[in-house]
Amino acid sequence: MSTLQAAEQRRVIAECFARTGLTLEQLWLRYFALGGDVSEADLAAYLRGVLPLPSIQRDMVAHAVNERLDELSGTRRAPYSRDVGDGSRPRGLLAALVGLLDGAQRVSPERLPAIVAAAGRALDLELTVYLADYEQRQLHPLPTKFAPARAPLPIGAGTAGRAYRHAGTVLSEEPGGPRLWTPLLDGDERMGVLEIGAVQGADLHDPALRTQCQWLASLSGHLIAAAMRYGDGLDTTRRRRWRGPTAELLWQNLPPLTAATGDFVVAGGVEPAYDVRGVSFDYALSETTAWLAIFDAGRDTGPAGLAVSTALAAYRSARREGQDLRGQESAVDKALSAQFPDGTTVRGTLTEVDLTRGTLRHLEAGGEPPLVFGTGHGPATVDSARRPPFGDGGPGHITTAHLRPGELLVLHTEGLTGARTADRERFALADSLAAGAGHVPPEIVRRVLDAAKSHHGSDFTGDAGLLIAYWPGTR
């Protein structure tokens, strides 16, 4: 573009900006969000014709203006440095990703499987979404008009189950041709799997194509998780039983079941999945610290659901205000005493992990002490000093321990170890944890809770809550 053309582009951009109704600061924020790297003052100088900008920066300004003009239909758009014609339309992977993002805008959740399938066709792929049920026993397909109906698949066996269990891409050779299975992830949380078939000669053995499929699956997982926050169409596929109001409240209060940073991985779960009444957990991860908590109000206590929700909310509020363990403990005690003057209490464990040193600080209020295992040793109980449950006394003693690189930290409720079978046999939590060693934390959680469910015959006398965290050590 010549100097005169650049000057004309600037003139029209400035003219169009005047019609956006945006302040200079608002325009700069939009431009900066697109990747622009000149200051607000330089942007103002450009619009006045005092300072020239490189073509890529001019085009980002034009795009920021046009995004606003698109919100105001019928207005003239700002020009780019070159004509945008058919030759610039995205193709291949970019077309798939753009199609997925564009298609997911303002769409009902039920339409997302078809949008994912349409994105796959840009790569000559046939995509089918499977979502895991809340007990994580089966993967349930979401049919579209482009694919025939499929049967649910077991998580504990088969190729699709292996992709889910190991959170990795698996290739299966089948009579109708090879199929790829890759996990649907919302961040690090497993939502289900994506079945991938080739059409028109796409090579599923190609490592580059496999990587592209993983990107598609990751973006699809994000979009599906977001859609389930504003609609029920996909969530109903995951539910295999009716869930009562108390269980509904507790599930809505849970954080994502899996989360990770470069320094920490945490995963949790509760049982019975459709009838949990008095157990919850929470966590928060930062660059230097991880906070974890688990609460147990008892399964048969009248206000158990409200009590454990109160404890969770008080803990979360205090933590977000920057309170340390002592402040969090006090906040939970005060909230329960104020909300339940009849003396309702909640058992729980609060922990804080220094990710730079592996220092573990923890406080047990009638809860179970943490377990630590890994790096060549089985699960071992961390020394602690229990105080009465939250809402009944305090303060308690904060105990300090040290994690070694590669160790896993386990928080759990009495429902996992205290309940017995008809012949009075206790569930061997330590053995179950040891059997899951070598798997990623969310898979250990799934296996332990499934084993507990089988041991108790799905008849929990106390709700089971489990939170497992992995510390790889300092970077």
Side-chain angles (χ1 to χ4, degrees):
M1 177 179 277
S2 68
T3 302
L4 288 176
Q5 289 173 316
E8 176 63 13
Q9 181 191 20
R10 183 211 61 78
R11 185 191 67 79
V12 178
I13 289 176
E15 178 186 295
C16 291
F17 167 57
R19 289 198 294 269
T20 62
L22 297 174
T23 65
L24 178 66
E25 180 184 17
Q26 289 170 330
L27 174 64
W28 181 83
L29 287 172
R30 288 177 177 238
Y31 155 79
F32 180 75
L34 293 170
D37 58 13
V38 305
S39 67
E40 184 178 342
D42 287 346
L43 177 59
Y46 167 70
L47 292 172
R48 293 198 304 270
V50 176
L51 178 72
L53 292 181
S55 62
I56 189 170
Q57 299 300 324
R58 297 198 305 268
D59 287 348
M60 278 192 249
V61 177
H63 196 68
V65 169
N66 287 335
E67 279 189 338
R68 173 59 177 167
L69 294 179
D70 287 341
E71 299 166 7
L72 307 170
S73 59
T75 55
R76 182 186 178 191
R77 302 179 92 247
Y80 295 96
S81 298
R82 60 185 178 87
D83 292 333
V84 180
D86 290 341
S88 66
R89 290 178 181 173
R91 291 181 172 84
L93 176 64
L94 183 59
L97 296 176
V98 170
L100 189 52
L101 285 170
D102 284 349
Q105 292 292 322
R106 296 188 175 185
V107 69
S108 61
E110 300 92 318
R111 290 191 57 203
L112 269 178
I115 291 167
V116 172
R121 288 194 294 276
L123 290 173
D124 295 327
L125 300 173
E126 178 189 84
L127 305 184
T128 303
V129 173
Y130 288 74
L131 294 183
D133 61 48
Y134 279 99
E135 290 184 300
Q136 297 188 77
R137 289 192 161 177
Q138 286 189 314
L139 296 161
H140 297 269
L142 300 178
T144 71
K145 64 180 180 180
F146 302 106
R150 289 166 165 81
L153 300 172
I155 287 177
T159 307
R162 183 149 52 96
Y164 181 87
R165 295 193 309 271
H166 298 285
T169 300
V170 180
L171 178 69
S172 64
E173 299 289 349
E174 300 180 13
R179 315 292 284 182
L180 272 182
W181 302 86
T182 193
L184 279 170
L185 299 174
D186 177 30
D188 277 78
E189 181 171 5
R190 303 175 299 182
M191 306 296 299
V193 297
L194 194 63
E195 179 189 10
I196 303 161
V199 295
Q200 298 181 1
D203 183 10
L204 296 182
H205 296 84
D206 180 4
L209 181 60
R210 293 193 192 191
T211 299
Q212 294 173 356
C213 291
Q214 290 167 1
W215 292 342
L216 267 178
S218 182
L219 179 55
S220 299
H222 278 300
L223 295 173
I224 288 170
M228 285 197 290
R229 287 195 287 270
Y230 64 81
D232 299 331
L234 299 179
D235 189 70
T236 53
T237 300
R238 303 184 67 193
R239 295 173 183 240
R240 313 319 298 168
R241 287 176 47 199
W242 177 79
R243 182 189 284 167
T246 299
E248 195 69 58
L249 171 66
L250 296 181
W251 271 98
Q252 290 302 313
N253 284 338
L254 287 176
L257 298 186
T258 307
T261 66
D263 302 301
F264 208 67
V265 181
V266 61
V270 295
E271 285 289 348
Y274 297 101
D275 191 31
V276 60
R277 301 179 194 175
V279 159
S280 192
F281 62 81
D282 198 27
Y283 59 81
L285 309 181
S286 78
E287 189 72 16
T288 59
T289 310
W291 296 269
L292 301 93
I294 196 163
F295 299 102
D296 181 8
R299 182 164 174 76
D300 297 320
T301 304
L306 293 177
V308 79
S309 297
T310 299
L312 176 68
Y315 162 75
R316 192 175 279 170
S317 175
R319 189 194 69 218
R320 289 173 176 170
E321 288 178 355
Q323 298 284 339
D324 59 10
L325 288 183
R326 187 65 71 201
Q328 297 162 16
E329 173 194 32
S330 176
V332 176
D333 277 328
K334 290 178 181 177
L336 289 171
S337 297
Q339 189 71 29
F340 302 97
D342 61 351
T344 296
T345 61
V346 173
R347 299 187 297 276
T349 300
L350 308 181
T351 66
E352 176 185 281
V353 181
D354 182 339
L355 301 181
T356 63
R357 299 179 178 86
T359 304
L360 167 67
R361 300 175 70 243
H362 56 102
L363 181 151
E364 281 74 64
E368 301 300 302
L371 300 174
V372 172
F373 74 101
T375 63
H377 66 87
T381 302
V382 177
D383 291 336
S384 61
R386 295 173 66 174
R387 51 150 279 185
F390 292 115
D392 181 22
H397 180 67
I398 296 176
T399 308
T400 300
H402 291 277
L403 297 177
R404 288 180 285 185
E407 286 190 324
L408 289 100
L409 171 67
V410 181
L411 305 186
H412 66 93
T413 64
E414 189 182 9
L416 269 181
T417 54
R420 301 171 184 264
T421 60
D423 57 3
R424 308 300 296 168
E425 181 185 359
R426 298 172 73 103
F427 174 64
L429 174 60
D431 291 345
S432 185
L433 288 169
H439 293 278
V440 292
E443 181 60 16
I444 299 176
V445 170
R446 188 192 73 82
R447 287 169 177 259
V448 170
L449 291 179
D450 196 54
K453 195 159 34 184
S454 298
H455 180 81
H456 297 309
S458 297
D459 185 20
F460 286 91
T461 55
D463 287 350
L466 180 62
L467 197 58
I468 295 180
Y470 169 69
W471 183 62
T474 56
R475 281 194 271 183

